[in-house]
Amino acid sequence: MTAYKHFMAYVTLRLNTATKVLLLASIGILLTSSCTTQTFDSTEAMWEYLNDPENEYLHQKTINGVDFSLVYKPTDLLVHQELGADKSQVKVDSLRAKYSKYLYFNLSMSKNNQELLSNVAADKQRFGAMVNQLAFSMDQKVHLYTAQKDTIPMADFIYPRMYGMSGATTILIVYPRKNEVTNSEFMTLSIEDLGFYTGEVKFKIPAKIFSNEPKLNFNK
């Protein structure tokens, strides 16, 4: 019986060791796959991925009737916009090098499914002030900072006037891709009250989305 017990203990130990090795291998595969860059054959497929909140590229809030939507726009979407007919690898690499120096966000804001300006159109003074604010002062209203409260200065922003033809006010916001951003665990983007009594609106953005952003397959 003693020999039998020793044998069973040996078998159990080997099984436990094998199970542990298998478990560790499975965890390694899972971690590796989770860090694999997603590649898409079309911008439509990429946008579907980006617009899924579970992937953490899209962040949304509704405060005092104002709908806020913030989505990170990967480098390859900017490359696609400029690429044109020449899809050579040299051209793609050149544009990737150009646009990868910055981080791009689409910030959309709406109330009653309308642009912000449409909600103040009846008040000429307020309308004029908001036009000026959206066109020239968003770098003073939107802020990006690290967990250590280090502010990243905005590089640029683009506000296209839609003259009521869109259901939201959408602004492209651009920040430099600094080490303080990519090396952080998360960043916070805040939007000051734009006159709709929302208070300061904050979005916590995991920095991992910048280093592992999806790409487009330009050689399909």
Side-chain angles (χ1 to χ4, degrees):
M1 289 296 292
T2 301
Y4 175 77
K5 287 181 180 179
H6 282 302
F7 173 74
M8 291 304 296
Y10 171 76
V11 170
T12 301
L13 177 62
R14 291 300 298 269
L15 285 175
N16 287 342
T17 302
T19 302
K20 289 176 182 178
V21 170
L22 181 61
L23 178 60
L24 290 173
S26 300
I27 292 173
I29 293 172
L30 179 62
L31 290 174
T32 301
S33 63
S34 66
C35 295
T36 302
T37 299
Q38 295 282 344
T39 302
F40 299 93
D41 290 336
S42 69
T43 57
E44 291 81 7
M46 181 182 280
W47 274 116
E48 184 176 352
Y49 176 81
L50 296 173
N51 287 326
D52 184 345
E54 289 189 4
N55 295 322
E56 299 184 289
Y57 287 88
L58 174 68
H59 304 269
Q60 297 172 305
K61 286 185 179 181
T62 298
I63 300 176
N64 197 29
V66 180
D67 298 317
F68 293 86
S69 176
L70 180 74
V71 62
Y72 175 65
K73 192 172 184 179
T75 297
D76 274 8
L77 288 177
L78 281 298
V79 173
H80 179 267
Q81 288 179 211
E82 189 175 331
L83 194 57
D86 180 7
K87 295 185 179 180
S88 66
Q89 193 60 50
V90 172
K91 182 70 171 179
V92 169
D93 290 344
S94 174
L95 290 175
R96 278 176 171 167
K98 171 185 175 181
Y99 287 110
S100 64
K101 297 176 183 177
Y102 299 94
L103 305 171
Y104 303 86
F105 298 89
N106 277 345
L107 172 63
S108 295
M109 301 168 287
S110 67
K111 186 170 185 177
N112 302 319
N113 295 318
Q114 296 178 318
E115 297 177 47
L116 297 184
L117 286 173
S118 297
N119 285 271
V120 296
D123 186 333
K124 290 185 178 181
Q125 183 175 358
R126 191 179 175 193
F127 182 88
M130 182 159 287
V131 168
N132 186 69
Q133 181 173 258
L134 292 171
F136 304 109
S137 304
M138 290 307 290
D139 57 334
Q140 301 170 33
K141 293 292 184 178
V142 180
H143 311 282
L144 183 70
Y145 54 89
T146 68
Q148 292 73 36
K149 305 299 182 182
D150 296 322
T151 301
I152 308 299
M154 188 184 296
D156 198 5
F157 71 92
I158 300 171
Y159 164 59
R161 285 286 303 275
M162 300 304 293
Y163 300 95
M165 301 299 292
S166 174
T169 296
T170 300
I171 302 171
L172 178 66
I173 300 171
V174 186
Y175 286 97
R177 190 187 290 264
K178 293 190 173 185
N179 289 334
E180 298 96 310
V181 177
T182 55
N183 293 339
S184 297
E185 181 181 354
F186 67 89
M187 298 295 295
T188 299
L189 188 139
S190 70
I191 305 138
E192 293 183 17
D193 195 325
L194 300 179
F196 289 90
Y197 306 102
T198 61
E200 184 181 20
V201 179
K202 296 181 180 180
F203 293 101
K204 187 175 180 179
I205 307 165
K208 65 182 180 181
I209 67 172
F210 307 135
S211 56
N212 194 38
E213 63 182 56
K215 294 184 179 299
L216 286 171
N217 179 12
F218 293 108
N219 299 316
K220 65 180 185 299

